[in-house]
Amino acid sequence: MSPANRRRVTSRATGASLSGVRRVRLPNGLTVLLREMPQAPLVSIWCWYRVGSRDERPGFTGITHWVEHMNFKGTRTIPKSEVTRRVELAGGTWNGYTYLDVTTYFETVQKAAMEAMIRLEASRMSECLYPKTEVERERTVVISELQGGENDPRSFLDKEVTGTALQAHPYRWPTIGYLSDLQAIDRDDLYRHYRAYYVPNNAVLALAGDFRAAEALRMVRRWFGPIRRGAPIPAIRTVEPEQSGERRVVVRRPSGAVYLDIAWPSPAATDQEFPALLVLDGVLLGGPSVNIWAGGRGRGPSKSSRLYRALVEGDLASEVASTLLPTAYPFLYRVTATAREGVEPQRVEAALLAEIERLARGDVGERDLERARNQFLARYALDCESVTDVAHQIGFFETVADHRLLLGLPERVLAVQAADVTRLARQRLSALRRTVGHLLPADDAPANGPAERTT
Amino acid sequence: MSRAAATAPGAMGTLPRRTLLPNGLVVVVRRNPASPSITLRLTFEAGAAFDPPDRAGTSEMTAATIDRGCGSLGASEIAERFDFIGASCVTRSRRDALEMETRLLARHLPDVLDLLRSIVREPAFPEAEVERERAQLLTAIAERDQDTRQVAEETLAALLYPPGHPYHASALGDRESAGRIGRGELVAFHARRVAPAGAVVVVAGDVEPDRAFDAIAERFGSWTSATAGAGRADVPDPPALPGRLARVRPIAGKTQADIGFGFPAMRRTSDEMPAAMVLSSALGEFSLGGRLGATVREKAGLAYYAYSRVSAGRAAGAIVARAGVTMAETRRAVDLMRRTLATAVARGFTPKEIADSKQALAASVSRHLETNPDAASFLADCEFYGLGIDYPGRLPALIAGVTRADVHALAEKYLNLDRCVLVVAGPDLKEEELA
């Protein structure tokens, strides 16, 4: 770290909300995280499971997400009609999501309802019913969700590029799954998946809000304590082989615009290169949010960033964005752009890659770094204003790796130097390791028309 | 200037404070020391409803270019100043309002206010930036026309509000209107509509209210607008619908259809709003989407989303029922939604449905004030629409006063299936097939 950057990172500077987390492990293996935040009479409860689309196999893609849907259908002690009703009667909001590494459910409610929510999550972990009629109804709902995603050409291109860039690791298929699998998965498949992964030793319960930790822990022990530990969950064994040549995919879909999507391998969140990639992305596009729930909520593009200037101010694209997710295993860093009307995608691609080359040549100044660091620190604080965001963040990082990884990120980002960014651009963002996707409008293309691939 | 505190129950957290500057600008501050951050929201009476005739998209282009040059600063300098301190500034054009939302660390408030002062009061609208935005707008229009959700929403508005009504045209406009908007139009629109009178600034976050009031008065207190009118503008209500209007908007290659029923309803300030909120909750919001969610999604398994909403503004708004369904099931879903709506009119809702919706709505008010962006948005809305910054405190009692009979009467009054709009975006159906 250079003297200019040798700054002390205080909890006040980075959002005091993330310090002071208490971690407890119950005898059945459940990890409990507690963060007292008396700022408002609210409590946020997030129940996390270490199961995502990575834990699926061909023929069963989408099963994790479908299980998430089924777990709103009632339990042995809580009827279906009561699952979300109880949350809303407490003035609460609720939701859940499934992604590559995790499945999660949350409720943010008036503090008086905290124990009822803990009880609800304990019941969801151990007592869901999976009636066949509900399975069949939800099959068409999930298929409708898939079709809604395919209506969006960008979502379609994302799926194609991911499946091209990753050829072995289970991150390669979409979380929503493939239509053929969603048509074939049955009730017993779903229930088996639920029973295998919804066990306390595979879960994290994160609570933030207006409570006393000791009292909250008593409630957690009361409702989760009796749930029996399950069999250990097997680790993901497949490691994506190193890419040794550029891959390209051209998709033709009905679309109002031309889209680009370029992906490179990204390190896991625990990798020492992850903070450097956060800074690299900061120089290129203002930096990502490490809160995938807040997801840069309400933020526009960073208009001083290099790619905004090169592509949008360069009159080549109407929009440019990037995605860098904290994942348990190596995934993809990607930059997407919408070509301006009348601009060939090749020109957008060339200008985009020229900015990567610039980084690889070592053109990274101290002001670039300081701006990227400042943007990271500000976003880190802004994305942790609420009890919902704090419980999400500590729970997410604990599920993917360890919540202390999140607490240590500001120090690690401040330590990133220009040489780190240059090395990363040369090694990780090389031409040999990239996958380039173009989506071209094809008004007469069938809705499920094939994508063209070249490798 | 008077600095009044709103009267609100303690459950709503820190009370907001309000002041009116002599130039008509209203400033609202809500302190929240929980996080070292601030959300600053500026709301102007400059939404798409105020676009000049034949120039739909003017507000949108003004919002997109207002921060691309001001005073002695070019677009790059402005962007660098925001980005270097990690602040974000997002401008949006909505139906009634043009909004600027800035999120920042609290220690940067003076710098950000200096910048906003210049952006709001002295925008340059450089020719090159306007031309660039026009090109981007054309791309956005092309994307919109391929998006079933956006097409459904735009078509609902176009049918609920006849040509010539301020809510009729799309906020983005079309290719022709985009071609008619140049720098001169943006300069004129800004001079006419982006003015202190009728505007609202909300500061939510880690700042002493008096300090925020002084800082804003220092930057905006001397601002006067020669051409802008004082006070709040009126937007006329639309005429009654002539009957039942159905419109199909086919879009090739889509896998999901978007369905929308629209029923003309009331203004944002109407006394009927609390009952309308309860009606919409029971119809399509509570739990898994109220009755619409229960019938279309949970029982029939037809849709990933099925819901309702009340959208009300300066002019009378609408109660809208929406769903996204598999193409092949479009007609079945339309029938099911229609039957669900008809049953709500014929029989009303059960006592349990009404009690649940009332409790959920009343109990959730304080949650909408938890984060700085949420609080800034809620309070700006309350002030902009003349509801008062004590509205969050009063709302639970207003909802508690709604009866089951009120909701049924409202359903009978507004959910008239013989005088409504039905839109389907995606499949190539004949409009008669939807009858």
Side-chain angles (χ1 to χ4, degrees), chain A residues 11-17 39-42 65 69 72-73 80-86 88-94 108-110 134 137-154 253-257 259 296-305 308-309 312-315 317-319 338-341 367 370-371 374-375 377-379 381-389 443 445-448, chain B residues 10-11 13 32-39 63-64 67-68 75-77 79-92 101 103-105 107 128-129 131-133 135-140 142-143 146-149 175 206 252-258 281 285-289 296-305 324-327 329 352 355-357 359-367 370-374:
Chain A
S11 61
R12 185 71 183 156
T14 58
S17 314
Q39 65 195 55
L42 298 171
H65 170 252
H69 278 225
F72 286 95
K73 302 286 184 187
K80 175 186 171 185
S81 60
E82 290 294 304
V83 173
T84 51
R85 177 175 179 264
R86 289 182 185 184
E88 295 199 13
L89 292 182
T93 183
W94 55 269
T108 297
V109 291
Q110 300 289 340
E134 292 288 355
R137 284 175 186 156
E138 207 59 21
R139 184 190 306 280
T140 46
V141 168
V142 172
I143 290 172
S144 176
E145 187 177 353
L146 176 146
Q147 291 169 329
E150 292 195 341
N151 262 9
D152 177 4
R154 282 171 295 197
R253 298 276 293 180
S255 169
Y259 299 99
R297 187 188 298 147
R299 296 187 72 97
S302 169
K303 294 178 181 173
S304 71
S305 66
Y308 187 89
R309 288 190 167 166
V312 179
E313 293 186 358
D315 295 336
S318 63
E319 192 178 21
T338 306
R340 220 166 90 162
E341 201 170 76
R367 189 165 177 88
E370 195 168 356
R371 185 191 311 106
N374 289 346
Q375 287 179 296
L377 292 176
R379 190 171 290 194
L382 293 169
D383 284 346
C384 270
E385 283 182 353
S386 69
V387 294
T388 307
D389 284 329
D443 291 339
N448 293 309
Chain B
N32 172 21
S35 171
S37 57
I38 285 173
T39 295
D67 65 345
R68 303 302 283 164
S76 299
E77 286 95 340
E80 176 68 10
R81 288 192 184 195
F82 277 123
D83 287 349
F84 195 74
I85 58 173
S88 67
C89 179
V90 176
T91 52
R92 303 183 192 92
E101 184 187 271
R103 297 185 66 193
L104 58 140
L105 295 179
R107 64 179 181 273
E129 296 293 338
E131 289 311 308
R132 178 172 299 126
E133 180 51 33
Q136 292 182 29
L137 188 62
L138 291 175
T139 305
E143 290 182 282
Q146 287 290 316
D147 184 327
T148 55
R149 284 193 197 208
R175 301 184 73 85
D206 190 13
K254 296 298 175 187
T255 49
Q256 181 174 269
D258 264 277
S281 171
E285 296 175 37
F286 181 77
S287 193
L288 289 167
V296 179
R297 174 180 162 141
E298 294 303 312
K299 287 188 185 142
L302 290 180
Y304 175 51
Y305 55 88
V325 304
T326 303
M327 287 285 194
E329 300 284 6
K352 182 165 176 278
D356 281 358
S357 285
Q359 184 173 333
L361 286 167
S364 66
V365 174
S366 62
R367 186 167 47 76
E370 191 211 350
T371 67
N372 294 330
D374 287 348

Side-chain angles (χ1 to χ4, degrees), chain A residues 229-393:
Chain A
R229 176 186 285 270
I233 306 297
I236 306 298
R237 291 191 298 201
T238 302
V239 176
E240 182 69 23
E242 187 163 336
Q243 186 174 339
S244 54
E246 183 187 73
R247 296 172 188 156
R248 301 188 76 85
V249 55
V250 179
V251 179
R252 295 183 187 277
R253 298 276 293 180
S255 169
V258 171
Y259 299 99
L260 278 87
D261 188 333
I262 305 184
W264 296 268
S266 67
T270 50
D271 193 299
Q272 58 183 5
E273 286 192 337
F274 188 73
L277 193 51
L278 289 172
V279 174
L280 181 151
D281 184 66
V283 176
L284 283 180
L285 274 159
S289 169
V290 291
N291 181 340
I292 71 170
W293 179 250
R297 187 188 298 147
R299 296 187 72 97
S302 169
K303 294 178 181 173
S304 71
S305 66
R306 290 189 179 184
L307 282 177
Y308 187 89
R309 288 190 167 166
L311 301 189
V312 179
E313 293 186 358
D315 295 336
L316 296 171
S318 63
E319 192 178 21
V320 59
S322 62
T323 310
L324 173 59
L325 300 169
T327 47
Y329 300 92
F331 184 48
L332 298 170
Y333 170 58
R334 59 210 308 166
V335 178
T336 57
T338 306
R340 220 166 90 162
E341 201 170 76
V343 175
E344 292 293 318
Q346 291 80 2
R347 288 181 61 206
V348 183
E349 181 184 327
L352 194 162
L353 294 177
E355 289 299 324
I356 306 292
E357 286 299 312
R358 201 176 143 196
L359 289 180
R361 284 198 309 273
D363 183 359
V364 183
E366 188 51 43
R367 189 165 177 88
D368 293 320
L369 288 181
E370 195 168 356
R371 185 191 311 106
R373 294 184 194 116
N374 289 346
Q375 287 179 296
F376 174 83
L377 292 176
R379 190 171 290 194
Y380 188 86
L382 293 169
D383 284 346
C384 270
E385 283 182 353
S386 69
V387 294
T388 307
D389 284 329
V390 168
H392 175 277
Q393 283 301 79

Side-chain angles (χ1 to χ4, degrees), chain B residues 78 125 130-131 167 174 177 184 218 221 224 236 255 268 275 286 300 309 398 403 434:
Chain B
I78 295 171
F125 299 111
V130 175
E131 289 311 308
Y167 290 174
D174 55 29
S177 62
E218 189 183 320
T224 55
T255 49
R268 186 75 182 83
F286 181 77
R309 67 166 190 270
L398 293 173
T403 67
L434 301 175

Side-chain angles (χ1 to χ4, degrees), chain B residues 2 18 102 166 199 205 216 218 228 236 261 263 266 295 297 300 315 324 341:
Chain B
S2 63
R18 174 187 188 274
T102 306
I216 289 166
E218 189 183 320
F261 281 87
F263 302 87
M266 70 293 293
T295 52
R297 174 180 162 141
L341 290 158

Side-chain angles (χ1 to χ4, degrees), chain B residues 23 25 40-44 62 65-71 78 82 89 91 98-102 112-125 186-187 189-191 193-197 199-201 219-220 223-225:
Chain B
N23 60 4
L25 181 71
L40 222 159
R41 192 180 186 93
L42 288 78
T43 307
F44 298 99
T62 302
T65 52
I66 196 168
D67 65 345
R68 303 302 283 164
C70 63
I78 295 171
F82 277 123
C89 179
T91 52
L98 187 154
E99 300 168 348
M100 301 179 71
E101 184 187 271
T102 306
V112 166
L113 281 174
D114 284 342
L115 202 47
L116 289 175
R117 186 203 72 80
S118 187
I119 289 171
V120 167
R121 296 177 60 173
E122 312 160 348
F125 299 111
L186 301 191
V187 170
F189 185 79
H190 173 267
R193 303 287 347 153
V194 181
V200 181
V201 178
R219 274 90 172 173
F220 295 94
W223 182 21
T224 55
S225 176

